[in-house]
Every structure is written in C-alpha cells, then in structure tokens.
Amino acid sequence: MTVKPGPAVKLYTRYPVSSVLLYNGTTIAHFVLGGLGIILGYDSWVGLILGLVYLVFAFVEMYVLMPVEVCPDCVYYRLENSLCISGLNVISRKVARNGDPKNFANRAKGTFCPNNLYIAALVIPVIAVIPSFFISFSWAVLVIFLAVVGLLLFRFFYLFGNVACVHCRAKAVCPNAQKMKMS
Ligand code: SF4
C-alpha cells in the first residue's frame, strides 16, 4: 500500500498577529476567569487571598518565568525577525541572555519544571473552584467554571494542533510537541 504524503504544514518564523492575539487572549482570559472563579467561589477573605495568589502565580509563571527560563534556549530567540506564538521571544531577547538550544528539552525536566508550572496554572482554577460549589453554590461561578473548562479544552484540542505547535519551528525538539506526536 502506498501512503500518500499529507499537505505540507507551513512553519512560521513570524506567526500571524491574529494567532499571537488568539493565543495570549486565550491565556489571559483563562487566568483572569480562573482567579475570578476562586475569588467569587469562596466569597470571603480566604477566596480573595487564594484568588490573588493564583493570579500572581499564573501571570509570573507565563510572562516572567517563560521568557527568562525557557525562551533563551528556543530557536525563536535566535531567528532573525521572528515572532513566536506567544510573542515572548521578543521580550526574552530584551531581558535574558542567549541560551543553549541543547537545553530546550529541560523545560520538561523535574517536578517544578516550567512545563509542569504551565500546566498547573491552567488546571489549578478548575480543581480549586469545584469544592466551592459544596460550600455555597453560585450560578455565576458555575458559568465561570464552565468557561475555564472550555478554554482548557479549546487550548488542548484546537489551539495547539491548529494554531500554535503545528506551525512551530521548535516542534522537532520540543517535549510538548513530542508528547502530542507533532514533532
Ligand atoms: S511546539 Fe508548541 S509548546 Fe513547543 S515551543 Fe512550539 S508552540 Fe511552544
């Protein structure tokens, strides 16, 4: 049997601005709604503290730790006139020194590696909000909860495979793409 090759996937040196906005819009909406869900779900100073701690953790993990720890080892840091899906390579060039592409896979190594923190920032609000329904049920919090779950599913089942990783020049060496069998 002859296997016909599928249509070639275009790799982007510069992602379209619409893709960068979609990726960051999805990320920011996820964090903000997640934090809001925790704050409203527990509706007390406990919820306020938990929600604020979550928001700080999520934004620092994504927009501080990534450009400092991960991006310097990524091919987009070195590619001339490049714009990666998150746009963080542009920030990283300003704030961090050039890394080593051989270390790029380290993003997935260790319990508190950047990849695990990234997943934690996405999953924490989903897990954290569930107990609040048994303490004081709120339809508004349920809507926020469903929106966060929707954003999570959208990211994993559409964004990565159709907008982000599929067009990424780092996918051959990226542990995330390898896990999703896209490398
Ligand atoms: S393959 Fe996906 S996760 Fe890996 S660097 Fe590219 S966009 Fe990021």
Side-chain angles (χ1 to χ4, degrees), residues 57 61-62 65-71 73 103-121 176:
F57 163 70
E61 171 279 322
M62 181 71 198
L65 187 70
M66 284 288 177
V68 171
E69 281 283 315
V70 176
C71 302
D73 299 327
N103 294 333
F104 191 60
N106 290 350
R107 62 181 296 179
K109 288 183 187 157
T111 309
F112 296 105
C113 64
N115 272 21
N116 286 352
L117 297 181
Y118 174 80
I119 297 294
N176 300 4

Tab-separated table of all heavy atoms in Angstrom, residues 57 61-62 65-71 73 103-121 176:
chain	number	residue	atom	x	y	z
A	57	PHE	N	0.732	33.842	40.640
A	57	PHE	CA	1.464	32.645	40.201
A	57	PHE	C	1.323	32.435	38.689
A	57	PHE	O	2.304	32.236	37.976
A	57	PHE	CB	0.940	31.415	40.957
A	57	PHE	CG	1.333	30.107	40.308
A	57	PHE	CD1	2.647	29.666	40.326
A	57	PHE	CD2	0.389	29.332	39.640
A	57	PHE	CE1	3.018	28.480	39.706
A	57	PHE	CE2	0.746	28.145	39.013
A	57	PHE	CZ	2.066	27.722	39.048
A	61	GLU	N	4.395	32.906	36.171
A	61	GLU	CA	4.866	31.673	35.505
A	61	GLU	C	4.919	31.870	33.986
A	61	GLU	O	5.890	31.508	33.337
A	61	GLU	CB	3.917	30.528	35.899
A	61	GLU	CG	4.111	29.219	35.161
A	61	GLU	CD	3.443	29.223	33.801
A	61	GLU	OE1	2.338	29.792	33.675
A	61	GLU	OE2	4.044	28.706	32.855
A	62	MET	N	3.870	32.462	33.448
A	62	MET	CA	3.773	32.576	31.986
A	62	MET	C	4.602	33.737	31.437
A	62	MET	O	5.324	33.585	30.450
A	62	MET	CB	2.291	32.766	31.604
A	62	MET	CG	2.045	32.878	30.113
A	62	MET	SD	2.308	31.313	29.303
A	62	MET	CE	2.493	31.824	27.613
A	65	LEU	N	8.614	33.869	34.110
A	65	LEU	CA	9.464	32.677	34.128
A	65	LEU	C	9.778	32.172	32.715
A	65	LEU	O	10.926	31.830	32.409
A	65	LEU	CB	8.767	31.575	34.939
A	65	LEU	CG	9.606	30.330	35.185
A	65	LEU	CD1	10.732	30.612	36.162
A	65	LEU	CD2	8.737	29.190	35.725
A	66	MET	N	8.769	32.123	31.852
A	66	MET	CA	8.983	31.597	30.491
A	66	MET	C	10.050	32.398	29.729
A	66	MET	O	11.006	31.821	29.211
A	66	MET	CB	7.670	31.580	29.704
A	66	MET	CG	6.747	30.454	30.097
A	66	MET	SD	7.377	28.863	29.522
A	66	MET	CE	6.137	27.773	30.214
A	67	PRO	N	9.923	33.728	29.619
A	67	PRO	CA	10.947	34.459	28.870
A	67	PRO	C	12.333	34.411	29.493
A	67	PRO	O	13.332	34.561	28.794
A	67	PRO	CB	10.422	35.900	28.827
A	67	PRO	CG	9.261	35.969	29.706
A	67	PRO	CD	8.800	34.584	30.015
A	68	VAL	N	12.406	34.173	30.814
A	68	VAL	CA	13.715	34.137	31.471
A	68	VAL	C	14.308	32.727	31.421
A	68	VAL	O	15.503	32.547	31.171
A	68	VAL	CB	13.578	34.624	32.940
A	68	VAL	CG1	14.869	34.385	33.715
A	68	VAL	CG2	13.224	36.111	32.969
A	69	GLU	N	13.459	31.711	31.649
A	69	GLU	CA	13.960	30.343	31.806
A	69	GLU	C	13.938	29.517	30.519
A	69	GLU	O	14.829	28.717	30.279
A	69	GLU	CB	13.081	29.610	32.833
A	69	GLU	CG	13.403	29.940	34.277
A	69	GLU	CD	14.662	29.229	34.752
A	69	GLU	OE1	14.809	28.035	34.482
A	69	GLU	OE2	15.484	29.921	35.363
A	70	VAL	N	12.879	29.668	29.724
A	70	VAL	CA	12.669	28.759	28.589
A	70	VAL	C	13.063	29.397	27.253
A	70	VAL	O	13.809	28.803	26.465
A	70	VAL	CB	11.193	28.289	28.544
A	70	VAL	CG1	10.936	27.421	27.316
A	70	VAL	CG2	10.838	27.523	29.807
A	71	CYS	N	12.570	30.601	27.005
A	71	CYS	CA	12.769	31.221	25.682
A	71	CYS	C	14.241	31.359	25.249
A	71	CYS	O	14.522	31.201	24.058
A	71	CYS	CB	12.094	32.583	25.624
A	71	CYS	SG	10.326	32.507	25.958
A	73	ASP	N	16.592	29.389	25.327
A	73	ASP	CA	17.067	28.151	24.693
A	73	ASP	C	16.283	27.799	23.431
A	73	ASP	O	16.574	26.796	22.782
A	73	ASP	CB	16.940	26.971	25.681
A	73	ASP	CG	17.778	27.166	26.932
A	73	ASP	OD1	18.850	27.779	26.822
A	73	ASP	OD2	17.342	26.715	28.010
A	103	ASN	N	19.593	22.785	25.591
A	103	ASN	CA	18.887	22.751	26.892
A	103	ASN	C	17.378	22.943	26.771
A	103	ASN	O	16.685	22.991	27.782
A	103	ASN	CB	19.444	23.843	27.814
A	103	ASN	CG	20.878	23.572	28.184
A	103	ASN	OD1	21.306	22.423	28.200
A	103	ASN	ND2	21.632	24.630	28.455
A	104	PHE	N	16.881	23.090	25.540
A	104	PHE	CA	15.455	23.413	25.385
A	104	PHE	C	14.551	22.354	26.021
A	104	PHE	O	13.514	22.676	26.609
A	104	PHE	CB	15.117	23.588	23.903
A	104	PHE	CG	13.745	24.170	23.674
A	104	PHE	CD1	13.404	25.415	24.169
A	104	PHE	CD2	12.781	23.469	22.961
A	104	PHE	CE1	12.141	25.952	23.969
A	104	PHE	CE2	11.516	24.000	22.742
A	104	PHE	CZ	11.200	25.246	23.250
A	105	ALA	N	14.982	21.084	25.916
A	105	ALA	CA	14.154	19.999	26.462
A	105	ALA	C	14.098	20.034	27.990
A	105	ALA	O	13.231	19.393	28.594
A	105	ALA	CB	14.682	18.649	25.990
A	106	ASN	N	14.999	20.803	28.621
A	106	ASN	CA	14.987	20.881	30.087
A	106	ASN	C	13.704	21.494	30.626
A	106	ASN	O	13.398	21.361	31.797
A	106	ASN	CB	16.172	21.726	30.601
A	106	ASN	CG	17.477	20.999	30.399
A	106	ASN	OD1	17.487	19.821	30.063
A	106	ASN	ND2	18.578	21.706	30.581
A	107	ARG	N	12.957	22.171	29.748
A	107	ARG	CA	11.694	22.765	30.191
A	107	ARG	C	10.729	21.722	30.744
A	107	ARG	O	9.785	22.054	31.448
A	107	ARG	CB	11.033	23.524	29.029
A	107	ARG	CG	10.663	22.641	27.845
A	107	ARG	CD	10.043	23.422	26.701
A	107	ARG	NE	8.789	24.017	27.101
A	107	ARG	CZ	8.032	24.783	26.317
A	107	ARG	NH1	8.409	25.046	25.093
A	107	ARG	NH2	6.917	25.280	26.747
A	108	ALA	N	10.959	20.453	30.377
A	108	ALA	CA	10.049	19.388	30.834
A	108	ALA	C	10.695	18.483	31.873
A	108	ALA	O	10.148	17.437	32.198
A	108	ALA	CB	9.595	18.558	29.634
A	109	LYS	N	11.865	18.905	32.402
A	109	LYS	CA	12.566	18.019	33.342
A	109	LYS	C	12.421	18.518	34.778
A	109	LYS	O	12.684	19.694	35.047
A	109	LYS	CB	14.045	17.932	32.972
A	109	LYS	CG	14.263	17.130	31.701
A	109	LYS	CD	15.720	16.980	31.353
A	109	LYS	CE	15.870	16.313	29.997
A	109	LYS	NZ	17.147	16.603	29.374
A	110	GLY	N	12.035	17.625	35.676
A	110	GLY	CA	11.932	17.979	37.095
A	110	GLY	C	10.487	18.280	37.495
A	110	GLY	O	9.683	18.713	36.676
A	111	THR	N	10.211	18.086	38.769
A	111	THR	CA	8.843	18.262	39.269
A	111	THR	C	8.342	19.685	39.061
A	111	THR	O	7.205	19.910	38.658
A	111	THR	CB	8.799	17.922	40.776
A	111	THR	OG1	9.410	16.657	40.947
A	111	THR	CG2	7.368	17.858	41.291
A	112	PHE	N	9.196	20.659	39.361
A	112	PHE	CA	8.758	22.059	39.257
A	112	PHE	C	9.297	22.718	37.984
A	112	PHE	O	9.608	23.905	37.967
A	112	PHE	CB	9.195	22.840	40.504
A	112	PHE	CG	8.536	22.326	41.757
A	112	PHE	CD1	9.236	21.553	42.668
A	112	PHE	CD2	7.191	22.581	41.997
A	112	PHE	CE1	8.618	21.056	43.811
A	112	PHE	CE2	6.562	22.084	43.130
A	112	PHE	CZ	7.273	21.322	44.040
A	113	CYS	N	9.418	21.935	36.930
A	113	CYS	CA	9.914	22.468	35.658
A	113	CYS	C	8.884	23.438	35.058
A	113	CYS	O	7.696	23.388	35.411
A	113	CYS	CB	10.200	21.325	34.685
A	113	CYS	SG	8.729	20.404	34.229
A	114	PRO	N	9.318	24.332	34.167
A	114	PRO	CA	8.392	25.296	33.578
A	114	PRO	C	7.159	24.646	32.948
A	114	PRO	O	6.051	25.185	33.035
A	114	PRO	CB	9.248	26.006	32.525
A	114	PRO	CG	10.639	25.904	33.054
A	114	PRO	CD	10.720	24.578	33.737
A	115	ASN	N	7.326	23.493	32.323
A	115	ASN	CA	6.150	22.842	31.710
A	115	ASN	C	5.105	22.453	32.748
A	115	ASN	O	3.904	22.649	32.542
A	115	ASN	CB	6.582	21.567	30.956
A	115	ASN	CG	6.980	21.874	29.544
A	115	ASN	OD1	7.301	23.013	29.227
A	115	ASN	ND2	6.996	20.867	28.692
A	116	ASN	N	5.569	21.891	33.884
A	116	ASN	CA	4.608	21.484	34.919
A	116	ASN	C	3.943	22.695	35.555
A	116	ASN	O	2.756	22.655	35.896
A	116	ASN	CB	5.311	20.632	35.983
A	116	ASN	CG	5.612	19.234	35.465
A	116	ASN	OD1	5.168	18.863	34.372
A	116	ASN	ND2	6.371	18.467	36.217
A	117	LEU	N	4.695	23.797	35.706
A	117	LEU	CA	4.105	25.012	36.274
A	117	LEU	C	3.068	25.589	35.311
A	117	LEU	O	2.029	26.107	35.730
A	117	LEU	CB	5.198	26.044	36.582
A	117	LEU	CG	6.227	25.615	37.648
A	117	LEU	CD1	7.240	26.738	37.874
A	117	LEU	CD2	5.554	25.244	38.961
A	118	TYR	N	3.363	25.491	34.021
A	118	TYR	CA	2.418	25.965	32.993
A	118	TYR	C	1.108	25.182	33.070
A	118	TYR	O	0.017	25.757	33.080
A	118	TYR	CB	3.094	25.794	31.627
A	118	TYR	CG	2.257	26.095	30.414
A	118	TYR	CD1	2.061	27.406	29.990
A	118	TYR	CD2	1.683	25.072	29.663
A	118	TYR	CE1	1.311	27.686	28.852
A	118	TYR	CE2	0.938	25.334	28.528
A	118	TYR	CZ	0.753	26.646	28.121
A	118	TYR	OH	0.012	26.918	26.995
A	119	ILE	N	1.232	23.848	33.161
A	119	ILE	CA	0.030	23.008	33.275
A	119	ILE	C	-0.703	23.327	34.575
A	119	ILE	O	-1.937	23.430	34.606
A	119	ILE	CB	0.405	21.497	33.236
A	119	ILE	CG1	1.047	21.140	31.881
A	119	ILE	CG2	-0.816	20.616	33.496
A	119	ILE	CD1	0.138	21.240	30.692
A	120	ALA	N	0.062	23.521	35.660
A	120	ALA	CA	-0.559	23.830	36.953
A	120	ALA	C	-1.367	25.126	36.861
A	120	ALA	O	-2.490	25.208	37.367
A	120	ALA	CB	0.513	23.943	38.035
A	121	ALA	N	-0.808	26.137	36.184
A	121	ALA	CA	-1.513	27.426	36.072
A	121	ALA	C	-2.837	27.260	35.325
A	121	ALA	O	-3.795	27.989	35.584
A	121	ALA	CB	-0.620	28.445	35.364
A	176	ASN	N	6.854	19.138	24.408
A	176	ASN	CA	5.384	19.219	24.324
A	176	ASN	C	4.906	18.666	22.990
A	176	ASN	O	3.955	17.891	22.923
A	176	ASN	CB	4.906	20.664	24.450
A	176	ASN	CG	5.303	21.281	25.759
A	176	ASN	OD1	6.000	20.651	26.537
A	176	ASN	ND2	4.876	22.495	25.999
